[in-house]
Structure formats: structure tokens, C-alpha cells
Amino acid sequence: MRYLVVAPQPFFTPRGTPFSVYYRTLILSELGADIDLLTYGQGADPDIPNVRIFRVPRFRWLGSVKTGPSMLKLFLDIFIAARAIGLLIRNRYDVVHAHEEAVFICRFLKPIFRFKLVYDMHSSLTQQLTNFDYTDSTIIRSIFKKLEDSSINNADAVITICPDLADYVSKIITDPDRHYLIENSIHEPVKLKNSSSPEIAHNWDDRPFERPDNCFLFVYAGTLEAYQGIDLLIEAFEKVAAERPDAFLLVVGGTGAQVEHYRAQMKERKLDARSHLTGMVSQHLAHEYMKAADVLLSPRTEGTNTPLKVYQQLASGIPIVATDIFSHTQVLNDDVAFLAAPDADAFGDAMLAAMSNQDLATKKAQNAIRLYEQEYSRDNYVRKLGTMLQGLRECVELPE
């Protein structure tokens, strides 16, 4: 099967890395697809069999692509559209797999080139315009809403990544059989063709952190954007540190400016000797830090999409403390995690409970592993993606 993946993202970079695109492409390749992947110029090439990567110009002087809508993305998407047309003219693709806003391009190319269209929907783009305060124009939002609805109903398959987004699409799509919920639930190591690429190597610091002796280690790993709740976490940890002198907090991830900001907060609260912020590190080292944790944390305060790290936390066998917002509770429950209201006192109490009740923490962690294996394992991911391919009426032989 000839497959064109159109992913307008900075693929593959440490910050804002589209792991979901990587894993989707990897499994499609394993399922027998011969893939061309079209993406932005920013990033380094992953090493995936049967995948050729095509990039639009980098335009380095315009800066890096950030999360959410932007004029830079709109500018780069013009080149994505032009390159997609060129590839479609030169090649006969059975399927075009459009990630996010690429569907707005591919939806209009579909009747011309007669391919089957997959809309890989990681978020509602109309909701993004609101969430990122990109525009107050009701006209622009209305246009995007109509484009989004049209794309959903003109795609041969629509993939959503969490129950909240699935519910949103279910109210729009006219043929529910074309809709597939496939969570971004796998997290195996990423292989790059050139891990020493300047886009990759200079962005992280892999000097190992030495864990203090006899400490109870809490680990948060992820971005340090405002919605991740790092302010809440620091305030909660102040409460924990006051009651438990053995508590230590390791925060993995974040840009240099973000790390300095939160280090200043730690110092102001006299927590600098009880905490460490690593900044951005390699995926391998981030995984090693997570494996060393006594408790894993997800203090997120906003959003409805389930964070990728939650699935990794479930599979880890390490107790989880998370806020009980819908972003988490679509997957987590009280049987598998210590859940707390998204405020510092409640989250601090949950952290203390995870420290003090080892039997309960162990039971929750064991339940979490069972939940992951039953619902979100790699085998389940492959099966779901294979079912989607079969739904396109293509012959796909699933690997044993």
C-alpha cells in the first residue's frame, strides 16, 4: 500500500516532539505500508523502515515552530500544500494520512487525485483558536469550524486520540463506522538516523543527576508550559517538604527560561536544596529518571486531551499522583492513581498519602499495569490501527 503522511510539525525535535506522529508512522510501516512522509524542515529524521521523509524549506531565520496556531505555521503550510501536490502528481498513493491542519489541504486534493483520506485528529482546530487566543473573529472561527466539519465528513477514516475528542467528533460525523479512537499510548524509544544533528544535540543537557541518599523521589517529566501545573506542584511540594524531610522533587524538561523561572520559585520557597530541575534531556535519560522515581506526578491543571506521559506512567509500575481533571480521568481512576483536586493543598495531601501508605501505593501501581495491558498496550495500538486500515478496504496483514 502506497501511503503519504502529511504532518505539518517540527519533526523530530526535543521540544514539542510529535511522538504521536512517529509512533503512528512506525506502526503503519510495520503493518506493511510503503510511506512517504511530508513535514516541516525543522528537526532530525527518525529511522523508520519503508519511510522516505520529504521536508519543506527550513527558513531558519523565521525562528522555530511553536505549539498552537501561528503565522509561521500558516506560511509553512503553503509550502506543505505545494510539495504535497508535487508528490501526488509524481506518485500514485492509495491513502493520504493528514495530521491536524494538513487535512484542510488534503480534503480539497482528494477528489482530484482520488486517494483515500485519513484525518488524524489530535485536537479540534477550532477549539485551538480559542484556547490559544489566536483570534477573536467569529467569522474566522466559523470558517474553520465549517472546514473542520467538512473534513471530518469527507474523510474515509477519522482517528481521535482521547474520549473527549471522540465525543466531539461523534456529534459531527455522519458515518460512525469511519471513526476510530486510537489513543497515543505507546512510548518505546525513538530511533534517529543522525542523533548528532545540530537540531537535536545542542538542545539538551545529558549530564546525569545524582539522586541524594535516603530520599523519597518524586518525578515530574514533561514540558513546563503553564497548563502543566508546575506552579501548583511547587506550592504542593512546599507542604510535603515541611512534613517529610526525606522528600525530594525532580522536574525533568522545560526550556532554559522556564527552568530559571521555576528555580527562582524554588529558591524563594527555600526548596532549592530539596529539588532539581534538569531542563530538556534526551528521551532515554527522561525514561531513566522516571524509572528511578518512587512516585510519578502529573499536576496538569487545564486541557481535555490525555497527556502521552499518562500512558507511560500507567505502564511503569510506579505509583502516580495526578489532578482529577478530565484530561486525566478519561484514563485514570482511584484504583490506579492518587487523584487530587487541582489545588496545592489537595495535591500535597495526595503526595503525602502516596509516601506514607506503601501498601496502597503498590496496589494502585499494580492495578495501573493491568489497566495498561488490557486497554492501551502496544498490541492494542497495533490492533486498532490495523482495524482502521481494514476499514479502508485495503488488504493488511497484521504482524504476529
Side-chain angles (χ1 to χ4, degrees):
M1 184 195 308
R2 288 299 304 278
Y3 217 93
L4 175 62
V5 175
V6 185
Q9 301 190 31
F11 187 84
F12 198 90
T13 63
R15 175 172 162 77
T17 291
F19 287 106
S20 54
V21 178
Y22 171 84
Y23 296 126
R24 197 83 83 217
T25 306
L26 175 68
I27 301 305
L28 286 169
S29 172
E30 290 180 6
L31 290 171
D34 183 11
I35 300 171
D36 289 346
L37 188 148
L38 174 61
T39 188
Y40 289 162
Q42 181 182 344
D45 290 350
D47 187 9
I48 306 176
N50 303 317
V51 175
R52 296 187 303 168
I53 297 179
F54 298 87
R55 294 182 180 273
V56 300
R58 172 70 169 87
F59 299 108
R60 193 178 302 274
W61 62 90
L62 295 177
S64 298
V65 176
K66 303 294 193 299
T67 302
S70 68
M71 291 302 296
L72 177 57
K73 276 190 174 183
L74 185 61
F75 172 72
L76 294 175
D77 286 347
I78 296 171
F79 293 87
I80 289 283
R83 193 68 186 273
I85 292 170
L87 288 170
L88 287 162
I89 289 172
R90 293 194 302 272
N91 303 285
R92 173 69 178 93
Y93 294 105
D94 302 301
V95 178
V96 173
H97 191 120
H99 285 266
E100 296 281 47
E101 73 266 21
V103 76
F104 295 162
I105 299 166
C106 300
R107 179 254 180 276
F108 293 104
L109 297 177
K110 177 185 174 184
I112 301 171
F113 294 98
R114 300 184 180 277
F115 51 76
K116 292 179 180 178
L117 177 60
V118 176
Y119 181 8
D120 209 326
M121 189 175 182
H122 295 196
S123 61
S124 165
L125 295 172
T126 53
Q127 290 178 353
Q128 276 199 38
L129 291 177
T130 300
N131 294 342
F132 286 89
D133 293 324
Y134 185 71
T135 178
D136 293 327
S137 171
T138 56
I139 295 175
I140 292 176
R141 290 178 180 175
S142 176
I143 290 171
F144 268 81
K145 174 63 175 170
K146 288 179 180 178
L147 279 171
E148 185 174 77
D149 291 359
S150 173
S151 298
I152 288 170
N153 283 309
N154 279 277
D156 298 283
V158 178
I159 300 174
T160 52
I161 62 165
C162 65
D164 180 66
L165 195 57
D167 290 342
Y168 175 82
V169 168
S170 294
K171 296 171 184 176
I172 298 168
I173 197 164
T174 54
D175 182 2
D177 291 339
R178 293 186 287 107
H179 178 203
Y180 303 87
L181 171 59
I182 306 177
E183 297 90 346
N184 292 327
S185 59
I186 58 176
H187 48 266
E188 57 203 48
V190 171
K191 297 179 181 178
L192 297 177
K193 289 182 179 178
N194 181 13
S195 60
S196 62
S197 164
E199 293 255 24
I200 299 297
H202 77 277
N203 276 295
W204 59 48
D205 180 356
D206 267 5
R207 289 175 295 181
F209 157 74
E210 294 186 10
R211 174 176 177 160
D213 294 335
N214 302 317
C215 77
F216 189 99
L217 185 62
F218 290 98
V219 174
Y220 167 83
T223 70
L224 303 189
E225 302 300 329
Y227 60 85
Q228 297 284 16
I230 308 304
D231 293 279
L232 178 153
L233 173 59
I234 292 172
E235 188 176 348
F237 183 65
E238 184 176 28
K239 177 177 184 177
V240 173
E243 295 193 28
R244 291 289 299 262
D246 56 336
F248 194 94
L249 175 62
L250 179 64
V251 177
V252 182
T255 66
Q258 290 169 336
V259 167
E260 289 307 311
H261 171 74
Y262 288 116
R263 277 181 181 156
Q265 285 197 28
M266 293 287 196
K267 188 172 183 178
E268 183 180 345
R269 294 175 183 268
K270 296 182 172 52
L271 296 172
D272 46 320
R274 308 278 297 278
S275 62
H276 181 73
L277 289 87
T278 68
M280 280 188 285
V281 299
S282 65
Q283 184 195 32
H284 169 75
L285 189 56
H287 288 182
E288 290 300 309
Y289 286 147
M290 291 178 69
K291 286 193 292 186
D294 294 301
V295 167
L296 295 170
L297 305 170
S298 189
R300 190 182 180 108
T301 55
E302 299 176 26
T304 56
N305 283 2
T306 303
L308 180 65
K309 63 175 171 281
V310 165
Y311 300 106
Q312 186 175 357
Q313 290 174 341
L314 280 174
S316 69
I318 298 169
I320 304 165
V321 175
T323 49
D324 63 356
I325 64 172
F326 188 54
S327 177
H328 289 139
T329 57
Q330 293 175 94
V331 173
L332 302 178
N333 57 53
D334 287 319
D335 291 332
V336 302
F338 292 87
L339 296 177
D343 67 70
D345 280 342
F347 201 80
D349 287 341
M351 292 171 70
L352 288 166
M355 289 184 78
S356 60
N357 195 333
Q358 292 293 307
D359 289 342
L360 180 59
T362 299
K363 181 179 179 180
K364 287 178 184 284
Q366 291 171 345
N367 289 342
I369 293 175
R370 281 194 289 270
L371 176 62
Y372 181 83
E373 290 300 325
Q374 290 169 4
E375 301 293 337
Y376 308 114
S377 66
R378 193 186 204 278
D379 288 345
N380 281 319
Y381 186 98
V382 173
R383 175 182 54 78
K384 292 174 184 179
L385 202 52
T387 299
M388 186 274 294
L389 289 173
Q390 291 172 347
L392 295 172
R393 297 191 178 96
E394 298 288 349
C395 180
V396 177
E397 183 177 347
L398 296 179
E400 304 226 348

